[in-house]
Amino acid sequence: MKRIVTLRNIFFFLVLLIVILAGCETLKISKPIMPVREYEKLIVGRLDAQYVGTQNCLSACHYHDTIRRNFEASTMGVQLTRKSGMPVVNCESCHGPGSLAIEGLTPEKVAEDAKEGKQTACNYDTFIDIKNLPPQAQSLICLKCHTANATFNLHNWNAGAHAISDVSCIDCHNICKTFKKGGPDLTVKPRDTAAMCYKCHQEVIAAFSLPSRHPVPEKRIFCTDCHDAHGTTNDKLLKKPTIKEACTQCHAEKEGPFAFEHADTTEDCKTCHSPHGSVNDKLLLLREPFLCLQCHSGHRTSSTSTAESKSARFTRCTDCHSQIHGTDIPSASGEGRFIQ
Ligand code: HEC
Ligand code: HEC
Ligand code: HEC
Ligand code: HEC
Ligand code: HEC
Ligand code: HEC
Ligand code: HEC
Ligand code: HEC
Ligand code: HEC
């Protein structure tokens, strides 16, 4: 009996082995999504072109001088020597090799064209078509240098909501537009982040226009105080692992621990507050007393005055329960009722 079972097991094992091997075989013959050469072209540019260096690229014409000047003055620019150990960056690092683009472009031809009132242009078609690349390939142009090791804040990029949702580096960092119109500084100023984010998150504009809101429009706090656009290991690209920590980094007095806690409701401030904005005072999700009446029934106070007992049911509960986030001081009955 025992032997039969063993033989049977061996039989099943063999069948399993064959299935697994068959699986490996199909893996071996499966084709890449795109021929490797096409893929290289996507990232590197025309494979028949040569790298010629920024000097050669730009010696014949001065049309891109603003970009070049600001580029050279930027952190990516010339102060990075080979000795610094940093990757040396030039126009071709992102746009691809340029020899075909400047073929036949001599200072003489530029001068001739100028005489006829023509603007000489290099052959843009031979560069990487950055604008029309798939977003992941656009980002790879940056990530070949800005690896997670070199640029620490990009550690969580690949798993982040933005990378997953086809947002690329250049949607937010428009390098050459900055050089052309802005200046050499590529860092993102906190005060500019809201406009950067609103390009795509219009629903958030609405929230920050509500009567009660965090002072983001006033530029007193910023999207990047709470979110990291490059991706985090937390929900909703939050910088902190819990909502409570996200909030108490600024509202430390609400952190506790308190002798009398409001059960565990204050572990998630979103139980009662909206993080961006609300039609109700103090960013509350609902007006009082309705906010409280979701979980509590109202009560009469010990007072004999009807007006007051009514008020306990129908007015702001926090007029009396003013320490709603927790307190160390017991109420008259010795319990934690958040009165003071
Ligand atoms: C770090 C990467 C990077 C470097 C370095 C770089 N560029 Fe760009 N450049 C881009 C990206 C991204 C775009 C936007 C994509 C597009 O519009 O095709 C762009 C766009 C441009 C444009 C079109 C601008 C416009 O207004 O539409 C020009 C011209 C240009 N770059 C020239 C240069 C020159 C000249 C240099 C060197 C001095 C240079 N770039 C270096 C990434 C780079
Ligand atoms: C050839 C390598 C290389 C490529 C490609 C590259 N970078 Fe950079 N980048 C650098 C180096 C080196 C610096 C300067 C050192 C630093 O600040 O990390 C830099 C600096 C920056 C800065 C400014 C950082 C600061 O604190 O001043 C930004 C922003 C930036 N790069 C974004 C990009 C984006 C977006 C792309 C893709 C379009 C890109 N880079 C492509 C090498 C590169
Ligand atoms: C959704 C918008 C967004 C995307 C996409 C994005 N970034 Fe950023 N990046 C920012 C913001 C905002 C900052 C400012 C720093 C912060 O997070 O507070 C920043 C900062 C940086 C910095 C440091 C310079 C500084 O301003 O301090 C570098 C370098 C950088 N990003 C590179 C990249 C690269 C490379 C990619 C693509 C892999 C990328 N970023 C994608 C928004 C973005
Ligand atoms: C180019 C468009 C674009 C820009 C610019 C952009 N985002 Fe996003 N963002 C998206 C997309 C697409 C998603 C994923 C779909 C969604 O949740 O709406 C997303 C998702 C998010 C999420 C939700 C993540 C989740 O887990 O649900 C947050 C938070 C966020 N973005 C914050 C920001 C901030 C902060 C900025 C500015 C620094 C910004 N975004 C700029 C396109 C953009
Ligand atoms: C005070 C902290 C804080 C600030 C400042 C802030 N957010 Fe948020 N944001 C949050 C929290 C917390 C959530 C998570 C909400 C949830 O889980 O439902 C969130 C969620 C989001 C989402 C996901 C969709 C949604 O509404 O739930 C987007 C997109 C977003 N924020 C974008 C932004 C942008 C853009 C800015 C700046 C204009 C900004 N946030 C400023 C705390 C903040
Ligand atoms: C970067 C700092 C910062 C963070 C993080 C932060 N807040 Fe605030 N909060 C502020 C500032 C500043 C004000 C405005 C205070 C004022 O006007 O005096 C404010 C105001 C408030 C108000 C009162 C609004 C009103 O209408 O008076 C509430 C409620 C609030 N925050 C809740 C939260 C919650 C919930 C979170 C987490 C999602 C949070 N805060 C995260 C800085 C922050
Ligand atoms: C059970 C509901 C509830 C929860 C949960 C809650 N709050 Fe509140 N919070 C309120 C109410 C109600 C008010 C308004 C009190 C008032 O008007 O006097 C308020 C007001 C505030 C204010 C502005 C007034 C002040 O006291 O400074 C801040 C800031 C605040 N809450 C932060 C937080 C933070 C941070 C958390 C999470 C740790 C949190 N709240 C969780 C109900 C709540
Ligand atoms: C999401 C549900 C929820 C909301 C909203 C809420 N509470 Fe509570 N509250 C609780 C829980 C749970 C307890 C703990 C009950 C217990 O220990 O028996 C509690 C305890 C209390 C206590 C102490 C009662 C006791 O028996 O010890 C008071 C007072 C109180 N809440 C007042 C309020 C007020 C005022 C509001 C509105 C600003 C409010 N609560 C909003 C869930 C909530
Ligand atoms: C006029 C002041 C006042 C108002 C308004 C008020 N309370 Fe109270 N509440 C008290 C007092 C006083 C106690 C008893 C304190 C003690 O135990 O010492 C109490 C006790 C409680 C308790 C615990 C005992 C019980 O009866 O269940 C809860 C829960 C509570 N209140 C919720 C609320 C809610 C919800 C509101 C708003 C609808 C509210 N209170 C409005 C004064 C008030």
Side-chain angles (χ1 to χ4, degrees):
M1 185 61 192
K2 217 175 175 190
R3 216 150 110 226
I4 297 170
V5 172
T6 316
L7 280 175
R8 224 212 214 153
N9 281 352
I10 290 173
F11 176 72
F12 277 125
F13 176 74
L14 283 175
V15 169
L16 194 69
L17 198 69
I18 290 166
V19 170
I20 290 173
L21 287 177
C24 292
E25 205 45 44
T26 47
L27 272 184
K28 247 192 266 166
I29 57 168
S30 74
K31 294 214 170 61
I33 305 164
M34 183 187 278
V36 174
R37 226 178 145 70
E38 284 302 307
Y39 182 72
E40 273 181 5
K41 254 199 271 180
L42 216 71
I43 306 300
V44 179
R46 283 277 291 267
L47 298 177
D48 51 340
Q50 302 297 321
Y51 289 97
V52 295
T54 295
Q55 288 315 323
N56 288 321
C57 262
L58 300 181
S59 64
C61 79
H62 299 283
Y63 183 59
H64 298 316
D65 274 357
T66 322
I67 293 182
R68 186 234 290 258
R69 252 197 320 276
N70 284 325
F71 169 74
E72 287 183 349
S74 76
T75 44
M76 274 200 208
V78 286
Q79 77 258 40
L80 297 172
T81 60
R82 277 184 204 286
K83 274 186 236 128
S84 71
M86 296 252 215
V88 172
V89 195
N90 61 25
C91 311
E92 293 171 304
S93 311
C94 298
H95 291 286
S99 66
L100 297 177
I102 57 165
E103 226 167 35
L105 248 185
T106 56
E108 292 77 39
K109 178 163 173 12
V110 174
E112 227 170 80
D113 285 349
K115 247 184 258 162
E116 294 168 27
K118 270 199 304 191
Q119 164 84 57
T120 319
C122 58
N123 185 0
Y124 285 120
D125 296 345
T126 65
F127 287 127
I128 299 177
D129 187 8
I130 302 180
K131 237 184 298 194
N132 295 319
L133 289 182
Q136 287 77 8
Q138 289 176 340
S139 293
L140 271 181
I141 291 179
C142 316
L143 290 169
K144 68 186 177 190
C145 298
H146 291 280
T147 59
N149 278 342
T151 308
F152 190 75
N153 56 3
L154 292 174
H155 259 296
N156 297 309
W157 169 256
N158 285 322
H162 280 141
I164 290 172
S165 313
D166 288 352
V167 178
S168 89
C169 314
I170 66 173
D171 286 324
C172 295
H173 300 279
N174 199 332
I175 301 280
C176 287
K177 204 164 165 203
T178 306
F179 289 151
K180 203 166 157 187
K181 306 235 168 80
D185 188 359
L186 288 176
T187 57
V188 182
K189 308 290 169 296
R191 63 171 186 277
D192 296 333
T193 49
M196 177 190 265
C197 311
Y198 287 162
K199 252 195 343 198
C200 303
H201 294 291
Q202 308 205 334
E203 76 288 359
V204 179
I205 305 185
F208 280 111
S209 316
L210 295 172
S212 172
R213 59 175 184 239
H214 266 122
V216 169
E218 292 77 13
K219 301 195 192 306
R220 285 175 58 206
I221 74 168
F222 309 100
C223 311
T224 45
D225 284 331
C226 299
H227 298 289
D228 186 338
H230 296 132
T232 70
T233 49
N234 312 316
D235 259 9
K236 308 285 179 190
L237 299 178
L238 287 175
K239 285 181 162 173
K240 301 281 181 182
T242 64
I243 298 284
K244 184 169 185 173
E245 284 171 81
C247 306
T248 53
Q249 59 172 322
C250 295
H251 301 290
E253 75 289 356
K254 307 283 190 285
E255 187 176 357
F258 299 105
F260 303 101
E261 304 258 353
H262 196 158
D264 56 1
T265 56
T266 46
E267 285 309 307
D268 184 353
C269 313
K270 285 196 291 96
T271 311
C272 300
H273 296 287
S274 148
H276 296 159
S278 167
V279 288
N280 306 307
D281 260 9
K282 309 287 179 195
L283 293 169
L284 289 173
L285 295 175
L286 276 176
R287 259 186 314 131
E288 289 187 65
F290 308 109
L291 175 75
C292 315
L293 293 174
Q294 295 175 100
C295 303
H296 297 285
S297 46
H299 63 81
R300 290 172 182 276
T301 57
S302 52
S303 158
T304 47
S305 135
T306 31
E308 202 171 304
S309 67
K310 262 190 187 159
S311 75
R313 179 76 177 76
F314 296 112
T315 60
R316 280 166 34 107
C317 314
T318 49
D319 282 348
C320 299
H321 299 283
S322 61
Q323 302 304 311
I324 201 63
H325 301 93
T327 178
D328 292 330
I329 304 169
S331 54
S333 65
E335 304 274 347
R337 310 286 201 223
F338 318 125
I339 304 282
Q340 51 183 333

